[in-house]
């Protein structure tokens, strides 16, 4: 279940409260169940997956992909797998922990572990949203944000694209003032 932290120390854990706080950003947050497929859960419990296992995970959850293909024009999806044993993990993640935007929506479905998104709201305040398994998020194009993993350094997430080129980061140079859940080593 998602957790939203504000700069003033306020913490929200109720979906309706989080949605209200993110409304000015037009960020969509939802819960998508993983179901009870034992093979899927066995694969999600592994740290790393080979290409065949990744494709099995994606196909098992493609019902959601089919829905957003029809309703929003998404054309492609992939699976991101992060775990502590990845060589040079800090170097691979360092660019995500810079405030940026994208020309396309950034859409993710967290299926294992945790991910953090920080946002700069229109009033210039910053908030931090921790997402957990079964959380789905859609950041509209142009949303000013940053991202990282939590200290557990474990994440599996499906990314959905209308165009992978639209996910290129456009760095704003804005400083992150608020970073509680994020890895401080990155």
């Amino acid at each position: 279940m998602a957790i939203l932290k504000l700069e003033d120390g306020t913490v929200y854990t109720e979906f309706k409260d989080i949605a209200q706080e993110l409304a000015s950003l037009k960020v969509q947050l939802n819960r998508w169940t993983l179901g009870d497929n034992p093979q899927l859960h066995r694969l999600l419990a592994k740290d790393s997956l080979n290409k065949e296992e990744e494709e099995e995970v994606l196909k098992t959850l493609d019902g959601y992909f089919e829905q957003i293909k029809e309703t929003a024009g998404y054309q492609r999806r992939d699976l991101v797998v992060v775990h502590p044993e990845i060589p040079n993990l800090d170097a691979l993640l360092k660019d995500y922990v810079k405030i940026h935007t994208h020309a396309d929506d950034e859409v993710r479905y967290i299926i294992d572990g945790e991910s953090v998104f920080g946002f700069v709201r229109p009033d210039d305040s910053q908030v931090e949203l921790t997402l957990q398994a079964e959380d789905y998020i859609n950041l509209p194009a142009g949303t000013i944000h940053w991202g990282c993993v939590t200290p557990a350094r474990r994440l599996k997430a499906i990314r959905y694209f209308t165009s992978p080129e639209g996910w290129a980061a456009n760095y704003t140079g804005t400083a992150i003032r608020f970073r509680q859940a994020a890895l401080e080593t990155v």
Side-chain angles (χ1 to χ4, degrees):
M1 192 64 93
I3 301 165
L4 183 70
K5 296 177 183 175
L6 309 185
E7 281 183 279
D8 68 6
T10 303
V11 176
Y12 293 104
T13 57
E14 294 294 324
F15 184 84
K16 66 177 179 48
D17 297 329
I18 294 170
Q20 182 177 343
E21 287 294 323
L22 296 178
S24 64
L25 299 169
K26 297 181 177 53
V27 169
Q28 297 174 23
L29 183 63
N30 212 330
R31 294 281 295 166
W32 286 357
T33 183
L34 289 167
D36 58 4
N37 180 315
Q39 175 63 3
L40 173 64
H41 289 279
R42 184 186 69 74
L43 291 171
L44 294 179
K46 295 176 71 172
D47 278 343
S48 62
L49 301 173
N50 63 38
K51 291 296 178 194
E52 293 80 22
E53 291 169 327
E54 286 183 10
E55 192 57 32
E56 185 176 345
V57 168
L58 289 167
K59 285 183 179 178
T60 301
L61 297 169
D62 265 353
Y64 296 122
F65 181 45
E66 294 303 320
Q67 288 175 13
I68 64 174
K69 276 172 66 173
E70 281 186 33
T71 60
Y74 290 91
Q75 301 297 315
R76 199 175 134 241
R77 85 291 193 249
D78 69 11
L79 180 63
V80 174
V81 178
V82 175
H83 59 86
E85 304 308 315
I86 293 176
N88 301 315
L89 181 57
D90 288 343
L92 295 171
L93 297 175
K94 72 178 170 86
D95 286 339
Y96 295 101
V97 189
K98 295 179 186 172
I99 296 180
H100 60 278
T101 64
H102 300 286
D104 199 359
D105 296 353
E106 182 169 345
V107 183
R108 290 190 189 197
Y109 173 31
I110 308 303
I111 58 175
D112 183 58
E114 296 180 319
S115 181
V116 176
F117 282 92
F119 302 100
V120 178
R121 298 194 297 187
D123 67 1
D124 201 40
S125 66
Q126 296 182 6
V127 299
E128 187 177 80
L129 179 66
T130 301
L131 301 171
Q132 300 170 342
E134 299 189 334
D135 288 334
Y136 162 90
I137 190 166
N138 182 324
L139 286 62
T143 301
I144 304 169
H145 70 284
W146 68 94
C148 64
V149 294
T150 62
R153 302 166 65 93
R154 182 179 170 84
L155 172 69
K156 290 182 186 76
I158 300 174
R159 303 183 305 173
Y160 301 98
F161 305 91
T162 55
S163 166
E165 296 78 24
W167 272 39
N170 302 306
Y171 298 103
T172 67
T174 306
I176 298 173
R177 295 187 313 269
F178 180 65
R179 213 169 118 194
Q180 286 193 343
L183 277 175
E184 296 302 328
T185 59
V186 177

